Amino acid sequence: MAERTVFQSIPKRVILSLQPQASVWEAACAMTRANFSSVLVMEPPDKLLGIVTERDLTTRVLARALDPKQTTLAQVMTSNPLCVTPTTKVSDAVLMMIERGFRHLPIIGPEHKVMGVFSVRDALPREVDAALSQTEFNEQVNDALG
């Protein structure tokens, strides 16, 4: 059986996006209503500027005691996030996330169209295990090479 792609693995193909001037409070409310763990920051009609995740809300807003109604997404977003194509294998995407320390990857299709967001939660356990095994192997090689 062929390994799934990130696009095949996402359960929701709806995009949750807000403009950069939207407040963190608006984003948190929209994420809660939609049961999403991230929001894309976009300028119309479809230009991806950044991403804000639940972790960003914790580390970049709450931990710094910023006012969520006064803080804009532009102030706390990850600008120009790493993206994947719809045909990226799930294990490759998980490996990228493990190595770089994040949990969400926007999926960008032809003509730079945003097609969804892949979350580490979308990965099957076997694909996560495969990526972890690859990471461990890479660390062992790096240790052996000094």
Side-chain angles (χ1 to χ4, degrees), residues 48-69:
L48 177 64
L49 301 176
I51 188 170
V52 174
T53 66
E54 292 170 328
R55 188 191 310 177
D56 294 331
L57 297 179
T58 302
T59 61
R60 296 179 183 176
V61 180
L62 292 174
R64 295 180 183 167
L66 299 179
D67 181 346
K69 290 188 177 183

Side-chain angles (χ1 to χ4, degrees), residues 10-131:
I10 59 173
K12 298 176 185 176
R13 301 234 164 99
V14 176
I15 306 298
L16 179 61
S17 67
L18 292 170
Q19 293 185 14
Q21 65 271 22
S23 73
V24 167
W25 181 80
E26 291 171 293
C29 290
M31 290 164 64
T32 299
R33 279 191 305 272
N35 196 28
F36 278 48
S37 56
S38 65
V39 61
L40 297 178
V41 182
M42 299 178 71
E43 283 187 339
D46 58 359
K47 182 179 180 188
L48 177 64
L49 301 176
I51 188 170
V52 174
T53 66
E54 292 170 328
R55 188 191 310 177
D56 294 331
L57 297 179
T58 302
T59 61
R60 296 179 183 176
V61 180
L62 292 174
R64 295 180 183 167
L66 299 179
D67 181 346
K69 290 188 177 183
Q70 300 299 318
T71 305
T72 66
L73 295 182
Q75 293 173 283
V76 298
M77 70 182 182
T78 299
S79 299
N80 304 310
L82 180 65
C83 299
V84 292
T85 67
T87 58
T88 302
K89 300 293 183 204
V90 168
S91 61
D92 292 337
V94 171
L95 182 61
M96 280 187 245
M97 289 189 276
I98 290 170
E99 290 179 342
R100 294 192 169 110
F102 46 78
R103 301 174 188 161
H104 298 83
L105 291 168
I107 302 170
I108 306 296
E111 300 177 21
H112 304 286
K113 178 176 172 36
V114 178
M115 300 179 69
V117 177
F118 175 76
S119 167
V120 73
R121 294 177 189 154
D122 298 325
L124 287 174
R126 66 181 169 90
E127 291 158 324
V128 172
D129 289 342

